[in-house]
Amino acid sequence: MRATVMFGAGDVRVEKVPDARLMEPTDALVTITRASICGSDLWPYKDMAQTQTGRRMGHEAIGVVESVGSEVRTVRVGDFVIMPFAFSDGTCVFCHEGLNTSCVHGGFFGTESVPGAQAEAVRVPQADGTLYVLPGRTDEALMASLLTLSDVMGTGHHAAITARVRRGGTAAVIGDGAVGLCGVIAARRLGAERIILLGRHPDRIALAEQFGATDVVSERGAEAIARVRELTGGFGVHSVLECVGAGDAMLTAVNIARAGGAVGRVGVPHYAATPGSEPAFYGNIGINGGPAPARAYIEELLPEVLEGRIEPGRVFDRLVDLDGTPDGYRAMNEREAIKVMVKP
Ligand SMILES: [Zn+2]
């Protein structure tokens, strides 16, 4: 079969690889109908050291179950499924607490040990706990939004939850990538009255405004902090959704949170020590967040998608086939595309 392999920074190729197959009795084999490129895939695209073997990319997908191992009980051949970016057994203490990303038998797709989903097919460990089986026939027009439930919509929701977005509160979203845009959707859903987007790309800002952003701040650093404070009576916002992962974004996040507020960070951190620990301490600002338990959130978000109340699939603005994946990385990296969908 063919799959997307990253060999180093800027070096993504579509290669012929051994067919994905069942390895454990709890595995399922899924034929990919749609996958996508994630903002977090751009970190290795910028800085991965060159390797001979490469890394099989992709952790967001929907598809059809092709075969299942002997111990798979609930997922069946022919099921149409969402594959969340982390696999989990669905039965351990953390899964029961809704934190599937800490599953004792869990892990992530697109790593050395578990090849990714920007491919024709993928092996899914812990199939019963991992895969979310979609009900019945699904409208083609909903595919993009369903795909976002594998990561970005769940992640934006997690940012809002961990930033403690509340009805009538104020929120700021740092980052106008797909996760930030989904964070806007989530903040609005949870009732934030004012949603300030910190972003600089006109196309993304326009989408954020349609999703519910009430204000836009395009300055950076100290100027951005001053501007958000100005918009909020000098105090800052109750909830900050940090959707970037860079140190300066985190520092901005802490400095625009009002006393007693919270930061929900979902951007993979690219800093060794958390910036802003002193203002966070004196302001009693909670710093929360981490990898979103996207699997757990599907239950809550899926009806919203099926009934058309939210349309996170609008973050996709480019469709490629498998051969177009390397150019998809380039386009996202150069901010030419917000988010790229891959149809193998
Ligand atoms: Zn578990």
Side-chain angles (χ1 to χ4, degrees):
M1 68 170 198
R2 294 161 70 243
T4 305
V5 188
M6 187 180 288
F7 288 91
D11 184 3
V12 176
R13 303 175 217 164
V14 177
E15 301 270 288
K16 209 164 161 49
V17 300
D19 284 349
R21 59 182 182 86
L22 301 175
M23 290 170 75
E24 303 289 336
T26 45
D27 288 350
L29 186 66
V30 172
T31 297
I32 303 298
T33 56
R34 301 280 197 293
S36 42
I37 302 174
C38 181
S40 66
D41 293 335
L42 297 181
W43 287 111
Y45 190 75
K46 286 188 218 318
D47 63 16
M48 179 175 156
Q50 199 73 24
T51 68
Q52 293 296 314
T53 48
R55 180 174 146 197
R56 297 263 298 275
M57 302 298 291
H59 56 258
E60 306 175 348
I62 53 179
V64 177
V65 176
E66 213 57 47
S67 59
V68 296
S70 60
E71 287 173 25
V72 173
R73 297 282 173 261
T74 56
V75 172
R76 296 203 163 89
V77 172
D79 280 346
F80 179 46
V81 292
I82 300 174
M83 182 200 95
F85 68 88
F87 58 88
S88 57
D89 60 13
T91 55
C92 78
V93 287
F94 294 109
C95 286
H96 277 301
E97 289 172 6
L99 195 60
N100 303 61
T101 43
S102 293
C103 176
V104 299
H105 299 114
F108 298 97
F109 290 97
T111 56
E112 295 238 325
S113 49
V114 184
Q118 289 160 9
E120 289 177 323
V122 69
R123 175 180 81 90
V124 176
Q126 305 294 342
D128 281 335
T130 304
L131 296 172
Y132 189 98
V133 179
L134 288 158
R137 280 175 57 85
T138 309
D139 191 341
E140 189 66 22
L142 290 175
M143 293 302 166
S145 286
L146 293 173
L147 180 56
T148 68
L149 298 181
S150 66
D151 186 348
V152 286
M153 186 60 224
T155 296
H157 180 67
H158 191 57
I161 293 285
T162 56
R164 304 199 296 250
V165 170
R166 60 178 119 155
R167 200 153 292 284
T170 52
V173 178
I174 300 183
D176 58 10
V179 171
L181 294 168
C182 289
V184 171
I185 295 174
R188 175 152 195 208
R189 243 195 101 238
L190 294 168
E193 195 163 82
R194 196 154 189 200
I195 303 170
I196 303 168
L197 176 79
L198 281 76
R200 301 193 303 159
H201 303 86
D203 53 336
R204 298 163 186 226
I205 289 169
L207 194 50
E209 287 173 336
Q210 291 171 34
F211 284 160
T214 56
D215 301 86
V216 175
V217 168
S218 294
E219 290 87 348
R220 304 190 85 156
E223 288 174 2
I225 294 165
R227 184 82 190 105
V228 173
R229 288 184 167 273
E230 202 179 294
L231 289 168
T232 51
F235 295 132
V237 295
H238 295 108
S239 302
V240 184
L241 289 66
E242 198 288 287
C243 306
V244 177
D248 55 351
M250 190 59 199
L251 191 59
T252 299
V254 171
N255 282 289
I256 62 175
R258 68 187 269 159
V263 176
R265 54 176 182 158
V266 293
V268 179
H270 278 62
Y271 41 82
T274 306
S277 69
E278 197 176 289
F281 175 82
Y282 283 104
N284 275 285
I285 293 160
I287 296 179
N288 310 317
R295 177 62 175 79
Y297 291 145
I298 293 174
E299 217 67 66
E300 178 178 347
L301 298 171
L302 179 64
E304 304 275 298
V305 165
L306 293 178
E307 287 155 29
R309 284 196 294 273
I310 60 172
E311 294 180 289
R314 293 176 65 199
V315 298
F316 289 103
D317 57 350
R318 188 167 298 197
L319 174 69
V320 298
D321 58 10
L322 210 45
D323 285 320
T325 310
D327 193 59
Y329 274 82
R330 182 205 57 76
M332 270 178 69
N333 191 49
E334 291 173 9
R335 300 292 184 268
E336 193 182 292
I338 301 175
K339 191 167 179 69
V340 174
M341 185 190 293
V342 182
K343 192 176 175 184

